[in-house]
Structures are given as structure tokens and as C-alpha cells.
Amino acid sequence: MRKVAFALVALMLMACGLRTVDSRPEAIVDVTPEMVVGTWRNAGRDATFVFAADGSMQALHVPPEFFLDFQYALTPDFDRNRDRIDAAGSWTLPGGKPSAPALVRNTVSLTFEPGGFIQNRGGGGLEVHRQGSQTMLQFRAIVFTKCPEPCAGGSGVSPSPSR
């Protein structure tokens, strides 16, 4: 009987401990433009997004994963192992209406315009999450954090072909 009681206590303590170390980011609902405007960076991929208050967007070294779901989005001469994607376009908050479902109220919707290695207009989205006091933009496993201006490595973003 003592072994069963000990096992139950151990399981309860482990369950409590797991909750306190759970580091998964939580979704932010009701994203505002003020939260998005600025420079966001993923240092590991040397990728940067700059979101302006007027809805325009510039990107430097966009991960090619953004374009995997769009057939013929990238030019045939794009080499995933060699080339970097610079882009320009626009951004919106599709969940800006109170009637929008919670699923889209934490999304920044992106539209990339043709140019450089991008041959067709296409889009994608970034989910907005918070982990502690840190706000993040995330696409699949790629996480961008907002950086103070000027953003190291992301200054002077000017989309142009990276050939």
C-alpha cells in the first residue's frame, strides 16, 4: 500500500512540476497594429521583416518555406542551397474585427509582390505568440522577435533580387 501511495504522490509532484516548466508560447488574441509595426528578426537564419504603419512590408532573407505551399511562386532558377529571398509587399490583420474567430485574431497576413526570385504574387501568415513578456511572430518552427531600432543585421532592408 505504501508503494501505491508513494507512486501517486510522485505522479502528482511530477505533474505539478511539468506545469511550472512548460515553456510553450501562448497565442495572443486581438493583435493590434502597434504590436506588429517595427523590425522583427530571426538571427539564426539572418532573416528580417520590417512592418510599416501604412501596411507595407519589406523582408530580407525570407525563408523559402514561406513559398512551399504556392506552386510556381519562386522562379525556376531559385537554388534553395545558394540563394536568399528578399521581398516587398503588404501586411494586414485579418482578425481586426471583433466577429473574427480567435484562430485568425492572432495572425499577421502577408502578401508578397513579384520581384527577384518571387515570380507570382503570393501570401502567407505569421502567428503572434507570447512567452513570458516576449512577443514573437512565428511561421512553422521559424520564430521572429521584435528588436529595438536599429536592429542588428537588419538595418537597411531594401528588397532586391539576391542573385
Side-chain angles (χ1 to χ4, degrees), residues 121-141:
R121 188 174 196 224
L126 294 164
E127 293 179 350
V128 183
H129 295 278
R130 179 175 289 134
Q131 190 167 12
S133 63
Q134 179 76 46
T135 301
M136 302 168 284
L137 298 180
Q138 182 171 352
F139 177 79
R140 297 184 180 158

Side-chain angles (χ1 to χ4, degrees), residues 63-124:
E65 291 87 344
F66 270 92
F67 304 97
L68 294 180
D69 297 334
F70 302 100
Q71 188 175 18
Y72 308 116
L74 299 175
T75 60
D77 59 334
F78 175 74
D79 182 340
R80 181 184 184 95
N81 297 316
R82 177 195 69 213
D83 298 325
R84 311 300 289 270
I85 303 169
D86 294 347
S90 60
W91 67 276
T92 59
L93 297 176
K97 299 176 184 168
S99 61
L103 183 64
V104 297
R105 291 200 328 247
N106 76 321
T107 302
V108 178
S109 187
L110 308 177
T111 301
F112 295 99
E113 297 298 332
F117 287 114
I118 302 172
Q119 66 180 357
N120 295 317
R121 188 174 196 224

Side-chain angles (χ1 to χ4, degrees), residues 47-71:
T48 305
F49 281 99
V50 179
F51 298 102
D54 67 358
S56 63
M57 176 264 306
Q58 294 181 338
L60 181 66
H61 303 160
V62 179
E65 291 87 344
F66 270 92
F67 304 97
L68 294 180
D69 297 334
F70 302 100
Q71 188 175 18

